[in-house]
């Protein structure tokens, strides 16, 4: 009897085991009991915080937007390369220098690839770097304040696309040129492109403590298009890889003429070797004009310095520093796995995904197995460097990111899908559709030696029917997938601002504890700051009128100003005396030709107003700051040019 | 040295802890202040619990016409002097040694502490009731009298959208232990006397 009971129990136990296996298998697929809790997986209750930050570039908006994962909520838009009326960035006197270039003041940029600073190959959450494509620039955003604090222009470059990726100790941010151009720029026939144009790969050093950027050297490469890039990591640290297209060096109808070669190249650059050469005085200084703009958070002011020369290196001067890896066919994405062994080249026009082996590459270099050369740069044999290929995984592969389990995730633009495959075996494990036409994808930490798993999001170029229509123009979309199981699971669709070109993401804890809440008034070194209502004053210097103004809930000091005349240039230097988190004040005056100011606690910002009409004009606080926000206002009187109205200012007088 | 004298020395020294730790803390909680505003009251100073708390308390209080919390009050000179004098006094009588004086010191300390509490109450009352007649917002009690914004002397209390807490801190513990030790010294002395 006892035995019967025992064996029955055993059978039940075995059944239970099988049943639970089945269930867990199902829960990773799209059917099954657990699929109904998808909403819960992205639900972040009111007052709770998301577990991850996502920093999504705005493409043609020139900005960077901050989202929470898994909720998909947008928290902030950080202006980088474009004027931003919301805060006065690029309009206020202090921030105008940020948008200075050798071509003058440029109020717009095309921001593409954000990348977070790293220490020992892991994301450290200190800075985000992002490139500007159209007028080549690299910006640094300080993740303490979430403000753009430095922008450096890149000379000799055009279409700064294979950029801005950082090496594993943030030694360098790279800026590779998409368009090759005459270097130095000159007036010449476009048909003479071939052999005459060059491509500059710029290595911008980052000072370890301050993050200050400086162009250390540029490698002047053959006149191909350098599309995307990635630093080596781990064993391949010290190398940088760049995909190329138009190795045909065509200069017209590129969709045909740049698609002729069966294979283009991935350029492998041993930057450590070139760095050593440069440290020993190698390379030549070449005249160049480029702007270096730095924002000082103590003076709350940016300064723009014009640089006059740049160090250039011809790769033939440093034998063994640059090699070409043949890669089919017009490769776009260039991605290195967390171990640093595999270099994935996604041939846009190729049926297969090509993966090169770093170890094999070193062996081939060692054995000098070259397949000729291009402009003096050795070409390695395709078969010698190939690690393997993923056979016919989809149409139009673009970009690959990695999880911590040795899997890769590649986007396919034409077939609108993400395909998960295994490194080493090259087998496809899963595929999920995206809606629609996906470009980049991001895994938090996926661009480092230590991916932070769990989530992946795809950034789509076309939105169509996914949301309520908003006329002919729709915001683009991102789609969040849970990648913690064997199969990817679509969790959420969320709209993004501008073109969500690429994103960097990380665990929130790396940033949120360090996030600054106010600027200390004691640290405010702005030359026109006023530290209390008693410091408020109006000073005339010729036809310039400087108003040292303070704001605090709920008044401006002064709030009555007289003695300004037509033809004057009026500078409102507004200091926010608040020292409480999230209490900015705004400032705008009627007829202003710029934007409002939005001034953070402890900060000073300046708006220039050139009145064009006689009258008494109001100014007011534009940010709903307090119960008496509506009362936060004042008047400025403008008299005719030849009048003798004395300069006067006051606050709180004559109200009895 | 006798046991009671040693205890008395400790009793006289303990209140000096007021120079190391705050005496009292007033905390103001409201939904829009996820980190509450709070100020510490020391024997010779007011201080922020989080950076800029006092500035932000002042800013918020100006709506109802409360005075700004001053940088200094006369008590900041009187209290430290009082503590130093009673400590010296305590050490003197501990040295002199008659336990009956210990009771005297204990009573003096209790009286002075009560006086200090009363003074604190008066200050609080003035601060919470002596409002600017041009205050932006005016509130009245249900009986028509002007609403006061006095924080509690001890405990917690709702004031408009705020919940105010007023509780002793480490410094007060040192003072209390000192006073209690004075009494213990007296009891021990008395016991030794009767058994001798
Ligand atoms: Cu305001």
């Amino acid at each position: 009897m006892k035995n019967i009971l025992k064996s029955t129990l055993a059978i039940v136990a075995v059944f239970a085991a099988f049943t639970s296996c089945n269930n867990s298998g199902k829960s990773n697929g799209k059917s099954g009991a657990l699929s109904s809790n998808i909403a819960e997986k992205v639900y972040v209750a009111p007052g709770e915080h998301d577990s991850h930050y996502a920093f999504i570039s705005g493409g043609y908006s020139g900005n960077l937007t901050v989202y929470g994962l898994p909720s998909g909520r947008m928290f902030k838009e950080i202006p980088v390369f474009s004027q931003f009326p919301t805060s006065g960035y690029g309009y206020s006197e202090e921030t105008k220098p940020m948008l200075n270039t050798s071509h003058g003041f440029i109020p717009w940029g095309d921001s593409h690839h954000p990348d977070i600073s790293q220490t020992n190959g892991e994301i450290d959450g200190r800075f985000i770097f992002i490139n500007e494509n159209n007028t080549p620039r690299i910006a640094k955003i300080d993740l303490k304040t979430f403000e753009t604090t430095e922008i450096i222009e890149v000379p000799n470059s055009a279409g700064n696309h294979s950029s801005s990726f950082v090496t594993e100790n943030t030694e360098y941010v790279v800026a590779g040129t998409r368009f090759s151009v005459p270097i130095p720029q000159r007036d010449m026939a476009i048909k003479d492109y071939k052999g005459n144009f060059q491509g500059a790969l710029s290595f911008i050093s980052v000072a370890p403590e301050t993050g200050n950027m400086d162009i250390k050297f540029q490698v002047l490469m053959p006149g191909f298009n350098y599309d995307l890039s990635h630093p080596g990591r781990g064993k391949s640290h010290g190398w940088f890889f760049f995909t190329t297209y138009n190795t045909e060096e065509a200069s017209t109808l590129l969709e045909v003429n740049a698609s002729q070669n069966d294979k283009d190249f991935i350029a492998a650059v041993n930057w450590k070797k070139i760095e050593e050469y440069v440290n020993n005085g190698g390379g030549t200084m070449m005249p160049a004009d480029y702007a270096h703009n730095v924002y000082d958070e103590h003076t709350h002011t940016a300064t723009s310095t014009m640089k006059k020369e740049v160090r250039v290196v011809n790769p033939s001067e440093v034998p063994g520093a640059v090699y070409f890896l043949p890669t089919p066919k017009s490769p776009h994405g260039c991605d290195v796995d967390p171990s640093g062994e595999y270099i994935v080249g996604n041939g846009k026009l190729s049926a297969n995904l090509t993966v090169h082996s770093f170890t094999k590459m070193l062996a081939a270099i060692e054995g000098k197995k070259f397949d000729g050369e291009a402009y003096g740069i050795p070409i390695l044999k395709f078969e010698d460097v190939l690690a393997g290929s993923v056979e016919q995984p989809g149409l139009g592969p673009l970009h690959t990111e990695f999880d911590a389990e040795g899997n890769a995730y590649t986007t396919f633009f034409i077939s609108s899908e993400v395909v998960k495959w295994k490194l080493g075996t090259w087998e496809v494990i899963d595929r999920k559709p995206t809606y629609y036409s996906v470009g980049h994808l991001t895994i938090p930490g996926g661009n480092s030696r230590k991916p932070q798993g769990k989530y992946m999001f795809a950034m789509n170029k076309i939105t169509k029917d996914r949301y309520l229509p908003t006329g002919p123009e729709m915001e683009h979309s991102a789609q969040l997938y849970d990648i913690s199981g064997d199969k990817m699971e679509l969790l959420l669709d969320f709209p993004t601002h501008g073109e969500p070109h690429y994103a960097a993401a990380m665990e929130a804890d790396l940033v949120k504890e360090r996030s600054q809440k106010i600027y200390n008034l004691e640290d405010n070194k702005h030359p026109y700051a006023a530290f209390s209502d008693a410091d408020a004053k109006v000073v005339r210097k010729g036809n310039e009128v400087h108003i040292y103004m303070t704001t605090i809930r709920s008044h401006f000091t002064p709030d009555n100003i007289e003695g300004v005349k037509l033809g004057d240039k009026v500078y409102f230097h507004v200091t926010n005396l608040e020292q409480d988190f999230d209490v900015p004040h705004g400032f705008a005056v009627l007829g202003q030709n710029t934007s409002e100011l939005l001034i953070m606690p402890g900060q000073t910002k300046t708006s220039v107003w050139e009145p064009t009409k006689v009258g008494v004009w109001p100014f007011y606080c534009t940010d709903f700051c307090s119960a008496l926000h509506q009362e936060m206002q004042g008047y400025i009187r403008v008299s005719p040019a030849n009048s003798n109205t004395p300069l006067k200012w006051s606050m709180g007088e004559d109200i009895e | 040295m006798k046991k009671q004298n040693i205890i008395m020395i400790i009793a006289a020294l303990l209140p000096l802890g007021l120079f190391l730790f705050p005496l009292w803390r007033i905390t103001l909680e409201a939904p829009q202040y996820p980190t509450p505003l709070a100020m510490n009251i020391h024997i010779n100073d007011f201080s922020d619990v989080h950076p800029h708390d006092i500035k932000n308390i002042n800013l918020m209080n100006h709506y109802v016409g409360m005075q700004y919390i001053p940088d200094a009050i006369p008590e900041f000179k009187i209290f430290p002097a009082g503590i130093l004098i009673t400590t010296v006094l305590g050490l003197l009588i501990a040295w002199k040694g008659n336990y009956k004086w210990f009771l005297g010191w204990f009573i003096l300390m209790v009286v002075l502490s009560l006086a200090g509490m009363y003074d604190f109450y008066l200050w609080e009352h003035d601060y919470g009731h002596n409002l600017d007649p041009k205050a932006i917002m005016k509130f009245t009690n249900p009986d028509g009298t002007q609403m006061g914004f006095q924080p509690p002397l001890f405990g917690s209390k709702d004031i408009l959208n705020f919940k105010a807490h007023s509780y002793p801190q480490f410094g007060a513990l040192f003072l209390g232990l000192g006073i209690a030790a004075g009494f213990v010294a007296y009891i021990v002395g008395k016991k030794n006397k009767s058994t001798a």
Side-chain angles (χ1 to χ4, degrees), chain A residues 520 577-579 626 628, chain B residues 33 52 55-56 59 63 136:
Chain A
N520 271 318
L577 298 181
E578 307 278 355
Q579 294 285 264
S626 65
L628 295 159
Chain B
Y33 289 95
H52 312 297
K55 175 171 183 162
N56 290 318
L59 252 173
Y63 287 111
I136 298 158

Side-chain angles (χ1 to χ4, degrees), chain A residues 551-556 578 584-586 620-626 628-629 632:
Chain A
T551 63
I552 199 158
R553 280 161 287 177
S554 317
H555 63 262
F556 292 97
E578 307 278 355
H585 290 290
Y620 70 103
C621 173
T622 54
D623 187 335
F624 209 113
C625 57
S626 65
L628 295 159
H629 159 73
M632 193 164 169

Side-chain angles (χ1 to χ4, degrees), chain B residues 9 30 45 54-56 58 66 73 77 86 92 99 106 119-120 128 134 145 147 154 168 172 175-176 179 188:
Chain B
I9 290 173
D45 202 7
I54 293 176
K55 175 171 183 162
N56 290 318
N58 283 337
M66 288 169 82
I73 53 175
K77 287 210 162 66
T86 54
L92 276 175
Y99 76 93
F106 167 75
D119 180 79
F120 180 43
K134 281 163 74 179
T145 56
M147 189 187 275
F154 179 90
L175 178 65
I179 294 173
V188 173

